[in-house]
Amino acid sequence: MIEILKCMPGCSVQDLGRFGHRKLGVGSSGALDALAFQVGNTLLGNEANTPAIEILIFPIEIRFLTTQAFAVTGTTSKALLDGKELPPWWRTTGHAGQILRIESGPEGGIGYLTFAGRLDVETVLKSASTDLKGGFGGHHGRTLVAGDRLAIRRDRSSETHYSFGASPPGLPDSNVIRFVPGFEMDQLPQAHVRSFCEAAWTISRQSSRIGFRLEGPLIQFVSHIELLSYGVLPGLIQLPPSGQPIVLLADAQTTGGYPRLGSVISSDLRLVAQSAPGRTIKFRHCSIDEAAEAEADEQDYLDRLSMLRGAMCP
């Protein structure tokens, strides 16, 4: 069991998401950085979808009430166990009474705190992700606050007190976001298409788990476009009347009606989410084949990490 000693707004319990219910108006929720989330579970020998604590704003402090293996992944945050700094993307063990503090890295971003075993939280529609709009799933359907206690259902992997970590996946151009053009992109004037792809877009402070608003050059169609409502998914790039695009994220609504400029590929959506307000990103056209190759590279990374973990924790 753990106790939350200090927690900033926005921290919640998430897994990979709640799928298959958008026709009912229920979005996916889930981890904003699915790869970092899965790395934490892989280091601990958990199933890939085991829920973790997602940290949007730092710092967070927890006290271990029982001995418990854990991992900290995600952004370049600083984790300290009883004041002793841990390496990044690291798995180790916290003993009863010890205090873990996770502070923000120099570039902000999102962190994940994963535990060996399973957080004993509410599962709704086969997912433990917290749906903040609906108020269900996770820990009482809300963000975490100081004083919360979370039990952890232990398994045999909780008994292996090894300390080791992972090399974070390479991010050669972490501010370059690949996207597949959308249905209405070809109706934009060519000058505006060039502006969209050449501009350095600033992440607005008016952003959330629902979507990131971008600030940059005005992007507009020659004439107003009226669309019937359509189903939307995380990664969709919408263009509202303001002329400033929105990239939808995990808590996005299930339907929308704004023109679609494209969709961020799944492998790069986490890079958008990890971009703190004030940072800039750029967009680059991407083929379906390139998107599939990027996804395969991520899976290969996770498979190799799993093999390493198996060798170190026989």
Side-chain angles (χ1 to χ4, degrees):
M1 177 175 283
I2 62 166
E3 179 183 7
I4 306 294
L5 300 181
K6 183 174 184 178
C7 187
M8 304 301 286
C11 297
S12 62
V13 175
Q14 301 291 341
D15 58 20
L16 288 175
R18 184 174 287 106
F19 301 102
H21 307 288
R22 301 188 82 84
K23 63 183 178 182
L24 304 176
V26 180
S28 60
S29 302
L32 293 174
D33 186 339
L35 183 60
F37 169 89
Q38 290 178 87
V39 169
N41 279 321
T42 300
L43 289 173
L44 292 163
N46 292 339
E47 294 182 1
N49 199 36
T50 303
I53 294 176
E54 180 178 82
I55 309 160
L56 295 188
I57 303 177
F58 298 84
I60 185 173
E61 286 185 4
I62 72 162
R63 177 188 287 117
F64 290 96
L65 302 181
T66 56
T67 297
Q68 180 65 51
F70 69 93
V72 179
T73 57
T75 184
T76 54
S77 55
K78 182 167 69 172
L80 302 102
L81 185 62
D82 278 354
K84 182 178 179 181
E85 186 170 353
L86 303 175
W89 294 63
W90 196 252
R91 167 236 164 92
T92 190
T93 300
H95 297 278
Q98 286 191 300
I99 293 175
L100 174 67
R101 177 181 173 89
I102 307 175
E103 302 175 349
S104 176
E107 297 182 351
I110 302 167
Y112 291 92
L113 175 56
T114 314
F115 303 95
R118 181 180 178 86
L119 286 169
D120 192 7
V121 294
E122 181 184 24
T123 297
V124 177
L125 299 175
K126 300 181 180 180
S127 172
S129 283
T130 308
D131 187 310
L132 296 173
K133 298 193 300 295
F136 58 82
H139 187 65
H140 304 308
R142 60 167 171 80
T143 55
L144 300 175
V145 297
D148 284 342
R149 290 190 172 196
L150 287 81
I152 300 165
R153 297 202 297 265
R154 299 170 64 134
D155 60 17
R156 62 184 181 85
S157 66
S158 306
E159 308 304 325
T160 56
H161 303 314
Y162 298 96
S163 294
F164 59 92
S167 296
L171 301 175
D173 293 306
S174 60
N175 71 323
V176 177
I177 307 301
R178 293 168 289 184
F179 79 102
V180 178
F183 290 104
E184 284 73 55
M185 173 66 88
D186 60 1
Q187 298 182 47
L188 277 176
Q190 282 303 305
H192 287 228
V193 173
R194 288 194 298 272
S195 291
F196 176 76
C197 294
E198 295 173 1
W201 294 96
T202 301
I203 305 295
S204 169
R205 296 195 178 276
Q206 296 182 359
S207 298
S208 67
R209 280 182 52 91
I210 295 173
F212 273 20
R213 294 179 179 273
L214 307 180
E215 298 173 346
L218 195 66
I219 305 295
Q220 287 185 322
F221 295 93
V222 174
S223 58
H224 180 67
I225 295 180
E226 288 282 353
L227 296 175
L228 296 174
S229 292
Y230 54 82
V232 303
L233 292 169
L236 184 67
I237 308 169
Q238 293 184 309
L239 185 65
S242 66
Q244 303 290 273
I246 300 171
V247 180
L248 300 183
L249 296 179
D251 281 358
Q253 70 277 14
T254 57
T255 62
Y258 292 144
R260 297 153 289 191
L261 299 184
S263 292
V264 174
I265 69 172
S266 60
S267 297
D268 285 4
L269 190 55
R270 70 185 188 91
L271 305 183
V272 177
Q274 288 284 11
S275 300
R279 289 188 62 188
T280 60
I281 59 174
K282 299 186 71 172
F283 289 100
R284 177 173 71 79
H285 284 89
C286 173
S287 68
I288 298 296
D289 287 344
E290 184 179 353
E293 183 178 350
E295 191 170 339
D297 287 343
E298 283 192 357
Q299 188 57 54
D300 180 63
Y301 168 84
L302 290 171
D303 289 344
R304 287 186 284 111
L305 181 60
S306 182
M307 291 177 61
L308 174 63
R309 192 266 173 196
M312 298 192 69
C313 303

